[in-house]
Amino acid sequence: MAEVIIIPMDLWEEDEEGVITAWLVDNNTPVKVDQLVAEVMVEKIQYEINSTCDGVISILSKEDDIVSKGSIIAEVS
Amino acid sequence: MTATKKLTIARAMAESLAQEMRVDPNVFVMGEDIAQLGGVFGNTRGLLDEFGSDRIRDTPISETAFIGAGVGAAMDGMRPVVELMFVDFFGVCFDAIYNMMAKNIYFSGGNSNVPMVIMASTGGGYSDGGQHSQCLYGTFAHLPGMKVVAPSNAYDAKGLMTAAIRDNSPVIYLFHKGLQGMGWLGTEPAAINQVPEDNYVLEIGKAKTVAEGNDITIVSIGIGVHHALKAAQELKQHDISAEVIDLRSLVPLDREHIIASVKKTGRLLVVDEDYHSFGVSGEIIASVVEHDHLMLKTPPQRITFPDIPIPFSRPMEQWALPSTEKIVDACLMMKEK
Amino acid sequence: MNPTDTQRLWMYRNMLISRYMEERIESIYMEGKKPVFNMANGPIPGEMHLSNGQEPCAVGICAHLTAEDVVTATHRPHHIAVAKGVDLNKMMAEIFGKSTGLSGGRGGHMHLFDSDVNFGCSGIIAQGMGPAVGAALSRKLQNKSGIAVSYIGEGAANQGAFHESLNLASVWKLPVIFIIEDNNWGISVSKSASTAVAKNSDRASAYNMPGLSIEENCPDAIFSATQAAVERARTGGGPTLIEIKTSRLAGHFMGDAEDYRPEGEKETLFKADPIPAYRQILLDANIITQADDELLIQETQQVIEEAITFARDSEYPAPEEAMLHVFAQS
């Protein structure tokens, strides 16, 4: 069963868009719950995105992709 | 196989610092905005929470004092890691660096160690102007008594930082702003690579061939390595096989490694973001030529920053900087000869 | 001595100009930097350090100065440049990196030089102090009129150059004034966390010169309090150290998340914004009417809009022009 990694709705305050500046795991590799998987930058602040469960990650958005709160950026299954 | 994870250079530096500080109580960090802020360039993120403000110290804007203090603490048995926020700021504290940090082992006849690391940000390309964009590799490499390293990727960044901290000699650790992974200075994805979770040391003074080739040797450090790797890819389409060497360290300089490569290819191109004259590029070329000029099929070339203050306006700065295209053009020209 | 009505209007007008300039630069700076905040992008690339809130420090002192007086400033220079009379079009063009800029795009916002009004600024903390001392020395040696004023932040008071410059200016009894704009923050480090004394003006006695602390971020207060220092310098009485408690309404640089500020601090600062406060003082004193004010606001905004248009419409320098002006023309 796949879970999604989604940019949390409360991760930053305004409705600004962000950009994925770094994936810290490779596609199709195993990840653990709460493992740091990506960095998202909003204006000049970096936010950390963690995995929501154990499994193998399937990256959906790439580095430099624009994302918003609520964007699904990967799946873990 | 040891577990690894992908890190940015900023995170790799912070991880090395944290792992060393956990095992060695003598390691401490000081500098401007390195505590609560985690460093303007992210390289001390998380350290204040873990180690507290005695060991992670924000300083006043007093470089001469706190870098001088680093020297004194190092000679007294501690292992300070001191941040000089921008390498360009060395002007206000250089005596402490080149006259004391770099010379006190010598002046003591080897009876004292100076196990100190100065970490400083380098590099331009984002219009920060003439006082905030320099590399100054040559300035630090030229003066005796300090090791100089400059990683091009996170794996090297962590290993070199650990090596620097453990070294009983002073080390200047230069990190390029364009490679930190901070996002707001642009990101070079190839600098974000797999880093072992355990701590490890990368020997200072050992270069690495990061792309094998037969036709031309391209030598660089820091961001220039990435320009060179991209150029090497492009040159394949022209049937040119370029070997790319990542120096990783400037002092000691791995001359053997460079010479062995040029012996194979017969052509040498140096890519250096620092100023053209009287610096790293000239040193590398001189080292090769004085070893055996007959190895060379064509005169060595260099792509460097011109001998001008770094201009602010984007078209001027971008024109002046080394780039992938300049490397490709130079290689095409050299291969014809 | 209090400022005359003319001087007060001059100060108010220049505060309006520099504030509007900062507001416009703030929004133009963000062009091309959303959603990806890459500093290299947009019509104003690089770093940007805005002076919102510190305007009184500029106008209160520059009201005493003329074009022949020398001013050196820092990485946060715009309000001082405006008050010193730097050509607004050329300054704006320089900030945009255009060939029509003060240095043809070579310097950018931290390195603005205008020899017509003897203004220069530099990005390394406290390093503008030495040149101010030197300019003062030059005037003294040549028996020429004019004084030098060096602007720094409170963080600079912990730099070596601060102590050396004060000592030298005092030993040689030079016509120079050192102004500390104390906004309490050196990027993320507060003054109390970095400075051994509560008042940097107390450090003046260590260098045998008068030290003055101004608590009010108000042009009138600053004007009156600094008059004596200016006269002292002009009449061979030597240097003065002046510390002004001001407020940095913006972050250290554009993009600064300012997590280090205690909660509520910014709200308090905004409530004490010196420009609306001064407007009210002038209205209450009948120096301007509401209608005058509206006209003045329009006029000052127009001046900046013209500068922006000039900057946008100007050409970029040809890239190879980077090689020019490294050395003086012979």
Side-chain angles (χ1 to χ4, degrees), chain A residues 21-26 35-36 39 41 43-46 48 63-64, chain B residues 5-8 11 40 45 181-185 187 189 192 194 197:
Chain A
T21 55
W23 274 106
L24 298 175
V25 292
D26 287 326
Q35 180 180 343
L36 173 62
E39 287 174 336
M41 183 177 69
E43 295 230 344
K44 208 175 160 191
I45 308 170
Q46 276 189 325
E48 300 184 340
E63 269 146 3
D64 288 345
Chain B
K5 58 185 196 293
K6 277 178 102 164
L7 291 178
T8 58
R11 286 182 184 275
V40 173
R45 177 204 255 125
M182 298 302 289
W184 46 271
L185 290 167
T187 320
I192 302 171
Q194 294 290 344
E197 288 185 355

Side-chain angles (χ1 to χ4, degrees), chain A residues 18-76:
Chain A
V19 61
I20 298 178
T21 55
W23 274 106
L24 298 175
V25 292
D26 287 326
N27 197 17
N28 286 325
T29 57
V31 295
K32 294 203 154 68
V33 64
D34 287 338
Q35 180 180 343
L36 173 62
V37 294
E39 287 174 336
V40 169
M41 183 177 69
V42 179
E43 295 230 344
K44 208 175 160 191
I45 308 170
Q46 276 189 325
Y47 296 94
E48 300 184 340
I49 307 295
N50 303 312
S51 177
T52 43
C53 65
D54 291 357
V56 174
I57 190 167
S58 208
I59 294 176
L60 301 173
S61 305
K62 335 182 277 303
E63 269 146 3
D64 288 345
D65 275 2
I66 312 298
V67 295
S68 315
K69 290 188 285 193
S71 295
I72 294 174
I73 60 172
E75 281 182 354
V76 181

Side-chain angles (χ1 to χ4, degrees), chain C residues 70 128-141 148 168 172 174 176:
Chain C
V70 176
M129 298 179 77
V133 170
L137 173 65
S138 165
R139 296 301 169 94
K140 188 169 178 174
L141 287 175
L168 192 60
W172 288 349
L174 295 176
V176 58

Side-chain angles (χ1 to χ4, degrees), chain B:
Chain B
M1 205 192 81
T2 175
T4 68
K5 58 185 196 293
K6 277 178 102 164
L7 291 178
T8 58
I9 291 182
R11 286 182 184 275
M13 290 171 71
E15 188 165 282
S16 166
L17 284 164
Q19 288 179 340
E20 283 305 278
M21 289 182 73
R22 284 174 202 144
V23 299
D24 186 348
N26 290 319
V27 181
F28 71 102
V29 185
M30 56 180 171
E32 293 160 13
D33 304 284
I34 54 94
Q36 199 264 340
L37 197 64
V40 173
F41 303 106
N43 46 309
T44 55
R45 177 204 255 125
L47 297 183
L48 178 66
D49 283 346
E50 186 173 348
F51 299 102
S53 59
D54 270 355
R55 294 179 77 190
I56 307 293
R57 305 185 146 252
D58 270 340
T59 59
I61 308 174
S62 307
E63 283 83 353
T64 279
F66 68 75
I67 290 185
V71 178
M75 292 183 74
D76 200 55
M78 300 208 72
R79 306 191 88 89
V81 180
V82 186
E83 172 156 305
L84 181 62
M85 193 192 283
F86 284 72
V87 76
D88 321 61
F89 299 171
F90 85 93
V92 305
C93 58
F94 207 39
D95 190 82
I97 297 174
Y98 94 111
N99 260 345
M100 293 200 288
M101 185 193 81
K103 294 183 183 168
N104 281 358
I105 294 176
Y106 192 83
F107 290 153
S108 76
N111 288 319
S112 291
N113 290 332
V114 184
M116 176 172 166
V117 179
I118 293 181
M119 50 186 182
S121 74
T122 63
Y126 62 102
S127 289
D128 212 354
Q131 295 174 343
H132 290 76
S133 306
Q134 297 168 100
C135 285
L136 303 177
Y137 297 138
T139 305
F140 286 86
H142 176 69
L143 297 162
M146 43 190 165
K147 299 189 183 179
V148 182
V149 301
S152 70
N153 60 83
Y155 176 87
D156 288 4
K158 182 174 170 180
L160 286 174
M161 177 58 84
T162 306
I165 294 170
R166 293 184 188 176
D167 204 317
N168 285 333
S169 301
V171 180
I172 305 284
Y173 184 107
L174 300 174
F175 57 95
H176 197 288
K177 288 175 239 137
L179 299 179
Q180 275 303 87
M182 298 302 289
W184 46 271
L185 290 167
T187 320
E188 174 50 70
I192 302 171
N193 57 359
Q194 294 290 344
V195 179
E197 288 185 355
D198 290 342
N199 212 351
Y200 59 97
V201 163
L202 216 57
E203 191 184 338
I204 293 177
K206 288 278 173 272
K208 184 179 180 189
T209 297
V210 290
E212 302 237 341
N214 294 304
D215 294 326
I216 181 165
T217 300
I218 309 175
V219 181
S220 194
I221 196 164
I223 205 168
V225 173
H226 295 279
H227 295 317
L229 286 170
K230 288 171 192 159
Q233 272 301 107
E234 215 181 297
L235 286 163
K236 286 180 184 166
Q237 294 165 33
H238 297 270
D239 266 325
I240 296 179
S241 143
E243 179 147 296
V244 180
I245 296 177
D246 180 350
L247 288 173
R248 293 160 148 180
S249 303
L250 291 169
V251 179
L253 181 62
D254 197 345
R255 292 179 175 85
E256 278 170 22
H257 194 110
I258 300 167
I259 287 167
S261 174
V262 178
K263 198 162 182 165
K264 179 173 72 164
T265 66
R267 295 181 186 85
L268 172 62
L269 175 66
V270 184
V271 180
D272 178 14
E273 189 181 322
D274 195 7
Y275 304 114
H276 179 85
S277 301
F278 304 98
V280 167
S281 61
E283 177 58 39
I284 291 170
I285 290 173
S287 297
V288 168
V289 167
E290 64 195 0
H291 171 80
D292 181 6
H293 69 288
L294 296 173
M295 291 193 308
L296 293 161
K297 297 174 185 164
T298 183
Q301 299 294 309
R302 46 186 165 164
I303 293 169
T304 54
F305 201 92
D307 298 327
I308 60 173
I310 299 172
F312 158 74
S313 183
R314 191 167 171 77
M316 294 197 287
E317 189 190 14
Q318 294 300 314
W319 170 84
L321 283 164
S323 67
T324 302
E325 297 111 88
K326 286 182 181 175
I327 298 173
V328 170
D329 286 348
C331 291
L332 290 172
M333 187 269 295
M334 290 170 78
K335 184 65 167 61
E336 271 167 41
K337 305 217 177 147

